Amino acid sequence: MDAMDWTETIERAFSIAREAAEAGAAAAWSYFSSRVETERKSDGSLVTAADKAAEDAIIAVIREAFPDHSILAEETGVHVGRDDARWIIDPLDGTHRFARGMRFWGPMVACELSGEIAAGAVALPTLSESYVAARGHGAFRNGERINVSQRAKWSESNVACGSLGRLLPTKHASAALQLIEQSDYCFSGGDLEGGLLI
């Protein structure tokens, strides 16, 4: 980050990111038990009323805490504010799974300051889990500190891969498959556009 001191902002963003993600999860949850209708956006991806309600709830929390920050939201686009402080919102990561009654979905919220992510949170309501992290504060799951794995050998690691169907036709398929084959275990599934999460 640049010379500007964001310490107090990061401290508040740490709390607000969690609060916003949880508000989005609560808004989406009210649609989860009923059969939710889906629509296709111009890019072909799915959207539901739950995505829109979750985004509204997230933005309301952020706007109350940081009325002058800009926002980039998946469903409503750019909300103009200051150039050096921006919130990035995916109101319902896993819309396909959500719409099919599967359990692994939730809002993702991040705060970017001077071009770098400073805080972020994810809520997974069907699993009763939430994750939050911020620069200088560490990362937490349900309020308990979590750490990076201490495993040093790739052969002992797990690989989570978004969509193998989207990954395999790409130029990265060979390298990705090699990593998967050399790992201890691979889990595939999700709405991610390919890529590996290790």
Side-chain angles (χ1 to χ4, degrees):
M1 293 193 186
D2 64 14
M4 183 167 184
D5 184 1
W6 289 110
T7 304
E8 287 184 19
T9 304
I10 292 172
E11 205 165 297
R12 188 139 188 246
F14 177 76
S15 172
I16 295 302
R18 179 190 51 75
E19 185 181 333
E22 290 177 354
W29 183 259
S30 65
Y31 292 85
F32 187 58
S33 59
S34 62
R35 185 167 178 82
V36 65
E37 292 187 19
T38 61
E39 300 172 34
R40 292 276 176 186
K41 295 191 280 191
S42 59
D43 65 1
S45 62
L46 288 184
V47 65
T48 70
D51 294 76
K52 297 170 184 176
E55 186 164 293
D56 288 345
I58 291 166
I59 290 172
V61 170
I62 293 167
R63 277 286 179 244
E64 184 175 346
F66 298 106
D68 63 335
H69 285 197
S70 61
I71 294 173
L72 176 60
E74 182 172 350
E75 306 308 333
T76 55
V78 174
H79 300 246
V80 177
R82 49 188 294 175
D83 293 336
D84 58 354
R86 177 173 73 160
W87 289 79
I88 304 165
I89 301 167
D90 182 345
L92 205 168
D93 185 60
T95 299
H96 278 85
R97 292 186 299 277
F98 179 90
R100 287 162 178 77
M102 299 170 72
R103 294 170 53 86
F104 197 68
W105 55 267
M108 303 173 75
V109 179
C111 178
E112 179 186 66
L113 302 173
S114 296
E116 294 183 16
I117 300 299
V122 177
L124 303 171
T126 63
L127 304 179
S128 299
E129 292 185 347
S130 64
Y131 296 80
V132 61
R135 290 183 182 272
H137 292 272
F140 297 81
R141 179 180 60 209
N142 294 345
E144 292 187 23
R145 184 176 290 275
I146 56 177
N147 301 295
V148 174
S149 170
Q150 298 301 307
R151 296 187 190 279
K153 295 181 181 177
W154 185 256
S155 61
E156 297 176 352
S157 65
N158 294 340
V159 176
C161 181
S163 171
L164 283 175
R166 290 186 176 137
L167 175 64
L168 294 179
T170 71
K171 65 181 180 181
H172 306 293
S174 176
L177 289 173
Q178 186 176 13
L179 288 175
I180 289 168
E181 288 169 1
Q182 294 172 0
S183 70
D184 183 45
Y185 176 78
C186 176
F187 169 79
S188 176
D191 289 354
L192 300 176
E193 301 294 320
L196 292 176
L197 299 176
I198 301 168

